[in-house]
Amino acid sequence: MKKKVVIVGGVAGGASAAARLRRLDEQTEIILIERGGYVSYANCGLPYYIGDVIAERDDLFVQTPHGLRARYNIEVRTRHEVLKINRQQKMIEVKEVVSGRVYQETYDILLLSPGSAPLRPKIPGLDGDNVFTLRDVADTDRIKNYLRDHQPQRALVVGAGFIGLEIAENLIAAGLNVSLVEMASRILPRNLDPEMAARLHNHLRKHGVNLYLQTALTAVEKRDGQDWALLSNGEQIPFDLAVLAVGTSPETLLAKEAGLELGTNGAIRVSASFQTSDPHIYAVGDAIEVESGITGEKTYVPLAGPANRQGRLVADAICGRNVKYEGVIGTAIVKVFALTAGTVGLTEEFLKHSGQKYLASITHPLSHAGYYPGATSLDIKLLFTNEGRILGAQVVGAKNVDKTLDVIATIMKTGGTVDDLATLELAYAPPFSSAKSPANIAGYVAGNMIRGDMPTVSWDQVLDQANPDIFLLDVRPERDYAAGAIEGAVNIPLEDLRERLHELPKEKEIVVYCTVGLTSYLATRLLIQNGFKVSNLSGGWRTIKPLLEDRRAMAAHDKH
């Protein structure tokens, strides 16, 4: 018997499901209903069109209604909005947006892929026609047209998550002066820990972004034709255009009114095969609750990669194939001018709050062989259990961030350990990597910590916890020490250490550091075998220096 599948919503989840469904079943009638004017477009490319990095608007479109009809025999109805689901009659009520006509459509299987909507905080005065969110092509066109027609000079971006960072960079590229306001103490607060965000803070300031951290937008006032943003720190800054990027919420009103079960963040609760509480209705994408691939807990992770995979898998499930979604580990990446930040899994802040036991390492390997021109430093933070299971990772740098992050994410997704990371056989030639890849090095260091070969302390234990029982030892060459060091540190270069052991206290814990952690690791091994109590400062001076620079910049801003 011929089956009729109606899909609500296109883009990543819905369009992927429609195409996969047709590949599996030539006979099924497939109708895709999309409220907007476009069925399949590069949602993540929208900020780059605003900044003219993507020059042609047409390049944003992955597939058109005509293309889906011609290639897949899928009926696509754009500018049609589903108003109601009648589960008893297996029927939906649809409004044709342009004409206002309302009609009914039956289904055998209904797939919901409505996505998520940008949050719009209720802030007094924040309702002008120069205030935007960025979700779809229509939003992009509105911002692009405003830039063209009004030629604004000053932009306010509220929220420093992925979209906030991307739109800030692209508004700078479009020639605007940009102020970025974030309530948290750092950018990407759900994805990066403080020491990993510090380098990016300094980089944003270097590229002209006025960065306001631990600051909320409290109101907007218009005076003499000029909009002023009133901030929680008492400052007032003028702006001509504002973009709100404070997060998203799942679009689930349709599901809620139909009586479908909801879960985390009000997202649609689904089974491992994407079935809702109604066996004839499935759901995928940014509107659904997912399972964490790390903790097993229910969570909400709106990302394009998982949405595409869910679209493929739900088509299999609808066709009767055995499907069990393995959950989400949250692999994500963002370009920040000349740097890149990548993240997967849990942060240290999350682990601290959850009470879970963990270890953390920071390494700073070069992106490729140091003797080959152009090598740059990577910052890699690895979070793992005492048994070696990787709980999360953060990578920041100018080159090879994506490659390093993807290697770690692959190990995590397949249930591997830090030792598996160390033993990976990865491609090496001087222009591309080192014989020990950055991922290998992160695995080696984590393994050393687990086996007790390298006791470590973290940056905050040194910078933020005054401890008279700690002796801080800098084992770098004298010229490096003279160029900048942690306050109170004593400098004994590694080459001189054996002859100067008598200068070190046996009764105190010695915290050793160098530039990135390798020289101090050698010093740690030497001192342990000579009877000293010693720990290595994870990440060394290269972790501490950006933090100190960031703190100085914030203090100078507060003073100003």
Side-chain angles (χ1 to χ4, degrees):
M1 182 177 171
K2 190 174 180 180
K3 191 165 52 182
K4 182 178 180 181
V5 177
V6 177
I7 301 171
V8 182
V11 197
S16 296
R20 172 71 172 172
L21 196 56
R22 175 58 74 224
R23 292 196 297 272
L24 295 179
D25 186 345
E26 181 60 28
Q27 303 308 315
T28 289
E29 181 184 0
I30 305 171
I31 301 173
L32 197 161
I33 299 175
E34 167 59 46
R35 180 175 57 192
Y38 309 97
V39 68
S40 183
Y41 55 89
N43 195 291
C44 297
L46 300 180
Y48 299 100
Y49 173 61
I50 290 169
D52 285 332
V53 177
I54 297 172
E56 297 298 328
R57 184 176 180 276
D58 286 350
D59 290 344
L60 295 171
F61 301 105
V62 180
Q63 187 58 272
T64 64
H66 174 75
L68 285 172
R69 163 67 83 178
R71 175 169 283 199
Y72 296 104
N73 189 27
I74 294 167
E75 182 181 346
V76 178
R77 301 176 190 170
T78 56
R79 304 195 190 282
H80 285 240
E81 182 179 7
V82 178
L83 303 176
K84 193 181 296 182
I85 302 170
N86 185 327
R87 291 167 52 193
Q88 286 70 35
Q89 295 184 21
K90 295 173 69 176
M91 180 184 294
I92 56 173
E93 186 176 285
V94 187
K95 178 183 177 181
E96 190 175 16
V97 175
V98 176
S99 69
R101 178 177 71 94
V102 175
Y103 63 95
Q104 278 74 41
E105 188 71 58
T106 61
Y107 65 83
D108 296 311
I109 295 292
L110 183 66
L111 171 59
L112 301 178
S113 180
S116 60
L119 294 172
R120 192 158 188 142
K122 294 179 180 178
I123 294 172
L126 195 64
D127 52 10
D129 60 4
N130 61 342
V131 179
F132 304 92
T133 55
L134 183 58
R135 181 203 185 194
D136 54 26
V137 175
D139 289 338
T140 308
D141 288 340
R142 281 190 282 269
I143 296 172
K144 195 80 168 175
N145 292 340
Y146 196 89
L147 291 172
R148 181 195 63 212
D149 297 340
H150 295 84
Q151 298 183 329
Q153 301 299 307
R154 291 164 294 201
L156 172 71
V157 178
V158 184
F162 294 112
I163 294 174
L165 291 172
E166 289 174 345
I167 195 66
E169 176 179 344
N170 281 281
L171 288 172
I172 289 273
L176 280 73
N177 179 285
V178 175
S179 295
L180 179 58
V181 176
E182 170 56 55
M183 286 182 63
S185 61
R186 61 191 181 278
I187 65 169
L188 298 171
R190 295 183 180 181
N191 305 96
L192 295 181
D193 290 313
E195 72 278 27
M196 300 301 289
R199 182 177 176 187
L200 295 165
H201 294 169
N202 300 325
H203 191 66
L204 285 162
R205 296 185 187 105
K206 176 184 171 185
H207 282 83
V209 175
N210 306 307
L211 192 57
Y212 296 84
L213 299 172
Q214 288 182 292
T215 306
L217 175 65
T218 58
V220 170
E221 291 183 356
K222 189 178 283 288
R223 300 195 295 268
D224 299 323
Q226 176 66 62
D227 285 304
W228 290 83
L230 279 57
L231 306 182
S232 59
N233 64 0
E235 289 191 61
Q236 299 183 16
I237 53 177
F239 69 91
D240 307 315
L241 170 149
V243 179
L244 306 179
V246 296
T248 62
S249 63
E251 285 240 25
T252 55
L253 182 61
L254 198 61
K256 183 178 181 181
E257 290 181 344
L260 297 178
E261 187 179 352
L262 305 181
T264 306
N265 278 29
I268 302 168
R269 178 154 287 171
V270 295
S271 69
S273 58
F274 306 103
Q275 210 166 30
T276 69
S277 52
D278 184 321
H280 303 290
I281 302 177
Y282 293 75
V284 294
D286 290 358
I288 69 167
E289 176 188 68
V290 294
E291 187 176 283
S292 166
I294 302 166
T295 66
E297 296 174 349
K298 298 294 185 182
T299 185
Y300 177 64
V301 185
L303 289 171
N308 271 282
R309 174 157 169 73
Q310 291 160 17
R312 178 184 175 89
L313 288 175
V314 76
D316 286 17
I318 290 169
C319 289
R321 295 191 175 189
N322 187 30
V323 167
K324 187 178 186 303
Y325 188 49
E326 68 284 354
V328 176
I329 61 173
T331 312
I333 196 164
V334 63
K335 177 181 178 295
V336 185
F337 294 99
L339 291 179
T340 305
T343 175
V344 60
L346 309 177
T347 63
E348 184 167 13
E349 183 176 69
F350 177 92
L351 290 168
K352 281 180 179 176
H353 288 163
S354 69
Q356 186 169 345
K357 291 184 178 179
Y358 68 93
L359 295 169
S361 70
I362 298 176
T363 52
H364 300 284
L366 293 175
S367 56
H368 61 253
Y371 57 83
Y372 188 89
T376 59
S377 172
L378 283 168
D379 305 336
I380 305 174
K381 181 170 185 176
L382 206 61
L383 298 154
F384 48 97
T385 66
N386 283 307
E387 296 74 38
R389 182 183 176 222
I390 304 174
L391 302 172
Q394 299 158 41
V395 187
V396 175
K399 297 179 181 179
N400 283 355
V401 171
D402 55 339
K403 180 166 73 173
T404 303
L405 182 75
D406 285 344
V407 166
I408 297 171
T410 301
I411 290 292
M412 290 177 64
K413 192 77 172 177
T414 54
T417 66
V418 298
D419 286 336
D420 294 317
L421 197 59
T423 58
L424 284 176
E425 184 178 331
L426 301 172
Y428 160 61
F432 306 106
S433 186
S434 299
K436 294 176 185 173
S437 80
N440 291 147
I441 290 171
Y444 285 131
V445 170
N448 285 340
M449 291 173 62
I450 288 171
R451 285 180 276 277
D453 294 337
M454 189 176 70
T456 62
V457 296
S458 61
W459 63 271
D460 54 318
Q461 291 173 288
V462 172
L463 282 189
D464 298 338
Q465 297 179 19
N467 190 339
D469 295 326
I470 285 180
F471 183 89
L472 197 53
L473 177 62
D474 185 323
V475 293
R476 296 176 297 162
E478 289 180 6
R479 65 180 181 277
D480 293 342
Y481 175 76
I486 302 174
E487 186 177 351
V490 173
N491 179 226
I492 303 178
L494 176 64
E495 289 74 12
D496 303 333
L497 191 56
R498 286 182 178 85
E499 287 71 40
R500 297 176 61 180
L501 292 177
H502 61 279
E503 299 177 28
L504 301 178
K506 287 272 188 176
E507 71 282 2
K508 289 187 175 184
E509 181 184 356
I510 298 172
V511 174
V512 189
Y513 78 93
C514 64
T515 303
V516 298
L518 175 58
T519 303
S520 55
Y521 168 55
L522 301 177
T524 299
R525 296 303 305 154
L526 188 160
L527 292 172
I528 286 174
Q529 293 175 76
N530 277 277
F532 290 93
K533 293 183 291 184
V534 59
S535 296
N536 189 4
L537 173 58
S538 187
W541 177 245
R542 192 154 286 165
T543 296
I544 296 288
K545 185 182 178 186
L547 280 160
L548 294 175
E549 291 174 355
D550 186 29
R551 291 181 178 188
R552 283 194 292 267
M554 291 183 69
H557 181 271
D558 292 343
K559 186 177 180 181
H560 176 72

